[in-house]
Each structure stands twice: as structure tokens, then as C-alpha cells.
Amino acid sequence: MKTDKNTVWIVGNRSDAIEIAKNKNLRVVLLYNKKLKNHQADVLEQISFMWNKQEWESFVEDLLQKEPKPIAVLAPTEKSVLPAAWINGILKTKFSISIPTAIACTHKPTMKKIVKKASIPCANFLENEEGDNKISKQELIEKLGLPMAFKTCTGSGSRGAYIAKTEEEGPKFLKKGYMAERFVEGTECSIEAIVQNGEVLFQNITEYTEPKFANLVPATFSSEIQYKIFEFNKKIIAALGAKNGITHTEVFIQNLEQNDAEKINLVFGEMALRPPGGYIMELLKLSYQKDFWQIWLDTFLGNTINMKNTQVHFYSGLRLFHPQAGTLKSIKGKEFVKSIQELEEFTLSVKEGATINQREGTGQSVGHIVIKGKDKQKIKSLLEEVKQKFLFEME
């Protein structure tokens, strides 16, 4: 079957991915599990992310009766990585993510087993994927110690994740679909990498100045520490088999306070094989003055990507807002935020009197700011100053 070089299939609804494809005059067939009244795609086809291989084969066969074979099948969201790999395997597209790699980059226990086998430092863990493994609280403590972290075996962000610091905070048994791992002490950061044909073309370190709330791009670490982190990330990418796209790897840095590349230790957290969330794509664009959504698309279209002369033009910072649960009595500091010269973006979706629900994950917020400037320390300080001066009073 002849490939239509002007058609792409996008699995999962992410507006930036659809927009960049449309801007390049590509026909977009959106595959999603819900009906959408408003979307930018040319065609919307309903799917289930839970389909097996046979169901995907049947779906693709039927869709090819209506639509031409695409040049690429794209996965911009965590849930879409494995389905896109199934489809790519059926269509045999040239630039894609293989099924083993998709599983390795979406199923955390599999991911960590592969990384450990490659002798990459990683926290010890126990899993209860199917619900048959009755792992008791006592066994968890004996094998992992306290504190320990609990998270779902699949999925992105921190939704459903929590830390048990004491025996009382731990569950009687490890919940179905969850894994528990030894808590890792250290400074968390993420590394975003551009990969094409298995070659790492570019890497950035995002500094989590306040985990779950504030990020800085690029990180302010020394060049020696950054180099060590970049080399560590290359080993992870190779172990998990990522060949094309953008990877987003979370790593813990131990002994960072010594500011010595020889004395720090690096511990692997997780890796995703799709564009990062949390406004990181926007921060990358501001800092490097390049469209990283276009670059992501190019990795799957086979277009030449030149990142050799990529330089830092600005330091970009993000702070997310989400107060404690309750009724919002007042908001203080709006005028201060609006007066920041480095301000790029300021959003707020709530007013006084609104009911604020408990935050369940990093993807949940009631607003944010984005700032950028030439002085990295000033941007870093502003992120903290906003925290001190932009305040929510709750009832």
C-alpha cells in the first residue's frame, strides 16, 4: 500500500501536536477514546486504549478502507505510546517506536528491570500488577525499608502516588496495579533529549527548583555535573531502546550540595518516550528559541534535524499555583506578579469564593506563571519570590 506523505495519524488528543502537524499542511487523523465537539484534526476516529493486538489489526484494516496509509503514527501522550507502537507495527512505518520499547517506556516495573540489568542505579521495588501478589506491609518494610514510595505501574505524573514515612502510613497489602519502591534521597531533575535513528542529538536538564510546583530551564548546575548527567541519560536511552522522538527522564542527584561531579551519585527514576508535560515544551522553546514540537514531529517524518549550534538564549521558569483544599477567601499579590518585567505568561482560573479540591497530581493546578530572562539566578530567585508574595487565603 502506497504511503501518503501528507497524512499523519495522531493517537491521543494533545492540541500542540495536532497544531504543529496542521501548520505543516499535514492531514491529521486523530485517534481518541472520546467524542470531541471541538478539535483541529481533519478526521476523528474513536478507539480504545485498552485494545489488544487483534483489535488494533481489525481497526487499522477498517480505517485503511477510508484513509490512506500515513507517513507516521504519532504518540504525544503517555497513554498513546503503546497503541501507536501497535499501529506502527501493523503499518511498518519507517520512523517509529517499537512495541518492546513502548512497553519498556510505559510499564514502570519492566522499565526498572531493564535499567537494573544494564547496571544503571535504580531504587529497589516490588510490584502487584495483576492483584494476585499478596505483598504485606511487613514484607514491604523488610525488603524496601522506610520511607517508601507508592505509585501506579503505568501512567504519568504523580496522580495516585504517595510516600509512606511510617509503618502506620503504609497499606496492609500492596494495592493491585501498584508498585512500591525504596525512597530515593536526592535532588530531582529531568532530562529532555531529542533522539533520531537512535542518535541523541540534544539534551537539556530541567531543574526542579520546587518539585511539583516550580521548574527552571536549563538547570544551573556546573558544566561538569551536567556532562555527567547527560552521559547517564544516554545509557538509559540506549538500555530502553528509544530510537525516535523526545525522551523525558527523571533522575535523582545525590550529594549535589558538594557541587563536585566526582562526588555526586545519580539514580534513575523513570523515563517517558513522548513530549513532556508541565509546560516544559514551552520553557524549552523560550530558552533555546527553537520549536520543540516541530523537532519532535521531524524525528518521525525523517526530516534532517540540526541541533549542533543550539544555544541558551534565556533562562525560563515556571511556577504552578494550587492552594490547599477548601474555600478560597482571598488572593494577594496579583499586582506584584503583573509587575514582573520578565513575565511571559500569567493565568489564574479561580476567584474568591471558589471551592478548591485537593491536588491529586502535578498536572492539576489553578494557574501558573512563566518568566524568562538572561540572568539565571534572578529567574530562580523570582520563582521563590512569587511563592512568598502571591498568596491564597483559604477558609
Side-chain angles (χ1 to χ4, degrees):
M1 179 177 292
K2 189 176 181 181
T3 299
D4 183 352
K5 294 183 179 180
N6 296 313
T7 296
V8 294
W9 293 0
I10 298 181
V11 186
N13 185 32
R14 197 163 173 184
S15 58
D16 289 317
I18 299 171
E19 183 179 345
I20 195 63
K22 294 297 294 179
N23 287 346
K24 293 301 173 181
N25 297 316
L26 293 170
R27 176 177 171 80
V28 175
V29 178
L30 174 61
L31 311 183
Y32 196 47
N33 64 328
K34 299 177 182 177
K35 292 182 179 180
L36 299 173
K37 291 183 178 179
N38 300 307
H39 60 83
Q40 299 171 283
D42 295 284
V43 176
L44 171 64
E45 293 284 342
Q46 276 196 267
I47 61 164
S48 169
F49 289 113
M50 305 304 294
W51 280 345
N52 59 33
K53 181 181 178 182
Q54 290 72 29
E55 289 169 317
W56 280 116
E57 288 175 345
S58 177
F59 169 80
V60 170
E61 183 179 352
D62 290 343
L63 186 53
L64 289 174
Q65 301 299 315
K66 301 181 288 184
E67 296 291 336
K69 179 182 176 181
I71 189 173
V73 180
L74 307 172
T77 69
E78 185 73 12
K79 278 187 176 182
S80 64
V81 173
L82 186 54
W86 283 119
I87 298 171
N88 278 311
I90 296 166
L91 296 176
K92 303 190 184 306
T93 50
K94 187 173 182 180
F95 302 98
S96 61
I97 299 169
S98 71
I99 294 170
T101 295
I103 293 172
C105 293
T106 56
H107 187 256
K108 296 167 192 173
T110 300
M111 179 190 304
K112 291 176 183 287
K113 288 174 185 175
I114 292 172
V115 165
K116 279 179 170 289
K117 190 174 181 180
S119 300
I120 296 170
C122 175
N124 291 331
F125 69 95
L126 293 170
E127 62 174 301
N128 188 17
E129 176 71 11
E130 301 299 331
D132 300 326
N133 201 1
K134 293 289 186 180
I135 304 174
S136 68
K137 179 190 296 188
Q138 193 59 39
E139 185 179 353
L140 289 170
I141 294 173
E142 288 176 359
K143 293 186 176 179
L144 302 177
L146 289 169
M148 72 180 79
F150 295 88
K151 61 182 71 174
T152 56
C153 291
T154 59
S156 62
S158 59
R159 187 177 293 272
Y162 66 99
I163 296 171
K165 297 181 180 180
T166 65
E167 184 175 346
E168 291 71 26
E169 292 176 348
K172 289 185 178 180
F173 292 94
L174 184 57
K175 191 176 178 181
K176 179 181 178 180
Y178 271 70
M179 60 184 291
E181 61 183 1
R182 182 187 296 274
F183 182 78
V184 179
E185 298 284 354
T187 301
E188 190 176 5
C189 68
S190 68
I191 308 98
E192 290 71 45
I194 306 297
V195 186
Q196 189 175 45
N197 295 325
E199 181 183 0
V200 177
L201 305 179
F202 166 87
Q203 294 190 89
N204 164 80
I205 301 172
T206 296
E207 185 174 347
Y208 293 180
T209 59
E210 185 183 347
K212 298 181 173 59
F213 283 96
N215 296 334
L216 179 68
V217 171
T220 58
F221 309 146
S222 71
S223 58
E224 293 81 10
I225 289 176
Q226 291 193 49
Y227 177 79
K228 187 170 183 177
I229 294 171
F230 287 151
E231 291 302 300
F232 186 71
N233 192 46
K234 285 181 180 178
K235 292 179 182 178
I236 295 166
I237 291 171
L240 294 175
K243 301 296 183 185
N244 296 288
I246 293 181
T247 62
H248 171 69
T249 310
E250 293 180 343
V251 167
F252 294 91
I253 313 169
Q254 297 177 328
N255 306 320
L256 181 61
E257 67 280 357
Q258 298 191 38
N259 198 30
D260 186 337
E262 294 297 321
K263 295 180 180 180
I264 67 168
N265 297 316
L266 300 175
V267 181
F268 172 72
E270 298 176 11
M271 191 184 93
L273 187 45
R274 41 84 185 159
Y279 299 92
I280 291 178
M281 292 291 278
E282 181 178 344
L283 299 184
L284 289 170
K285 183 176 182 179
L286 289 172
S287 293
Y288 296 99
Q289 296 293 288
K290 286 180 177 288
D291 190 336
F292 280 77
W293 278 106
Q294 177 62 60
I295 294 167
W296 168 76
L297 179 62
D298 285 339
T299 65
F300 293 102
L301 297 181
N303 295 336
T304 300
I305 300 171
N306 184 5
M307 303 294 291
K308 290 182 180 179
N309 298 318
T310 302
Q311 297 179 344
V312 177
H313 293 267
F314 298 97
Y315 287 85
S316 304
L318 164 80
R319 177 165 286 284
L320 297 171
F321 304 127
H322 200 89
Q324 293 182 343
T327 301
L328 180 57
K329 184 177 180 181
S330 67
I331 303 172
K332 299 178 180 179
K334 287 183 185 178
E335 294 308 314
F336 164 70
V337 172
K338 293 177 181 177
S339 71
I340 297 174
Q341 291 184 346
E342 293 82 1
L343 185 65
E344 284 287 312
E345 193 173 313
F346 174 34
T347 68
L348 191 62
S349 62
V350 293
K351 297 179 181 179
E352 287 83 354
T355 299
I356 307 297
N357 296 322
Q358 183 174 348
R359 195 182 193 211
E360 296 181 358
T362 53
Q364 186 179 359
S365 67
V366 300
H368 72 279
I369 61 161
V370 173
I371 54 178
K372 77 168 187 181
K374 295 284 188 179
D375 187 334
K376 60 184 177 183
Q377 292 303 332
K378 184 177 182 181
I379 296 300
K380 197 172 183 177
S381 296
L382 276 172
L383 290 174
E384 179 60 27
E385 191 174 0
V386 169
K387 178 184 178 181
Q388 301 300 325
K389 293 184 177 179
F390 186 70
L391 304 172
F392 295 88
E393 185 179 359
M394 307 301 293
E395 290 182 332

